[in-house]
Amino acid sequence: MMKALTVKGYLPETQADVTSTNAPVPSETDVIIKIEAAAFNPLDAKLAMGVMQAFFPLAFPYIPGTDFAGTVIAKGKDVREFAIGDNVFGRAEPVAGGAIAEQICVDQSHIAHRPSGLDAQTATSLPTPAGVAQLALDKLACPQGAPLLITGTGAVARAAVILARDKNDVFVLGDGLDRLAGLGATLVAPMDPELADIVTKTAHILDTTADHLQSVYLAHVKPKTHVASVAMPMAEDVAQQANIKSEFVFLQTDQGILQKLATIAATQPLAVPGSKTFVLDEAANVFDGYVNGSLKGKYILTNT
Ligand SMILES: NC(=O)c1ccc[n+]([C@@H]2O[C@H](COP(=O)([O-])OP(=O)(O)OC[C@H]3O[C@@H](n4cnc5c(N)ncnc54)[C@H](OP(=O)(O)O)[C@@H]3O)[C@@H](O)[C@H]2O)c1
């Protein structure tokens, strides 16, 4: 048996609780990981509230959490790349969840090795936010030296700035800009008079916010601009009216991206600093606060 945060139905009708549940058993290509750290992401709240039910119908009881770091403690007979005792990190499929627990079972393709310079708390902060940032940048394919506009100042935006800054002239549009100070991007508030000039020079935008900044950049955007959104798809009629190319980017766990993120995070501040930690017995309270919006920023489970 193991302890885990469990949800018995879509929130808020049912409470999240820490309960005892069966420890996972690996199939041929699975690994069991003893979780050292696991992170909440906005996606976990959306999944448990049922707002993504059409894409990700959950089976209950459901254990929230996709991003984790820990040690391999068991593996299936076809797992060759990982050994018992290896330090790894990774991301479970959203419908599977399972990270806010003592152990998790995932296919070997969902994990990567964690280099010695990368601690578990930093590693667990990466897979979803930095993973989708990298995927969105790959889709945008903003040419070398060209301006790139990123909206928002959360974990995805931070990672995107760091992943793009060596290649592009990066601008960030958002509130709470001091969260991204010193990372090499030019920070632009929504009311900044220079915004119009910046947007009209930009052909690539990574939008990490729901929709409140959309009208701000769309007021100045030039035709054919490529907008990659990660929080919410842009309405088709809005994109048509602005004559832009809009696409929604949804992360699928990719071992190659995980490995790349691990290498970069060992030397660069890819993960949100100052994250708050909690232990499993506090997980239900933290999750409630995360879901109802009273807790902001990064929250990380630490197991001893
Ligand atoms: N499509 C995908 O596969 C995918 C993957 C990852 C994430 N996402 C989505 O992308 C969006 C951004 O994700 P994220 O991980 O960047 O979210 P996040 O770190 O929670 O940031 C979201 C917003 O929360 C506020 N915030 C962040 N850190 C804060 C802090 N320390 N103190 C106070 N407020 C803070 C900021 O907004 P304000 O300043 O306006 O308050 C920020 O723009 C979410 O909607 C998420 O669901 C999608």
Side-chain angles (χ1 to χ4, degrees), residues 117-130:
L118 185 63
D119 63 76
Q121 287 184 31
T122 305
T124 195
S125 306
L126 303 175
T128 293

Side-chain angles (χ1 to χ4, degrees), residues 129-247:
V132 82
Q134 182 62 60
L135 188 61
L137 291 171
D138 291 346
K139 301 241 180 216
L140 281 171
C142 187
Q144 180 83 32
L148 167 73
L149 179 66
I150 296 167
T151 70
T153 56
V156 178
R158 157 179 281 269
V161 168
I162 290 168
L163 294 168
R165 65 185 178 183
D166 289 344
K167 182 180 169 204
N168 297 115
D169 194 7
V170 181
F171 298 86
V172 176
L173 165 65
D175 304 308
L177 287 166
D178 53 329
R179 291 196 282 266
L180 301 189
L183 296 182
T186 303
L187 308 175
V188 197
M191 301 302 284
D192 194 317
E194 287 178 34
L195 179 67
D197 190 44
I198 291 165
V199 178
T200 46
K201 283 189 193 141
T202 305
H204 299 86
I205 299 177
L206 198 179
D207 191 345
T208 78
T209 64
D211 58 5
H212 63 291
L213 292 171
Q214 207 178 80
S215 56
V216 176
Y217 64 76
L218 284 182
H220 310 290
V221 81
K222 65 181 174 188
K224 309 289 180 214
T225 294
H226 185 174
V227 178
S229 306
V230 301
M232 186 182 270
M234 186 181 289
E236 264 178 45
D237 57 331
V238 172
Q240 263 173 17
Q241 205 175 351
N243 190 16
I244 58 173
K245 175 184 173 188
S246 153
E247 73 175 312

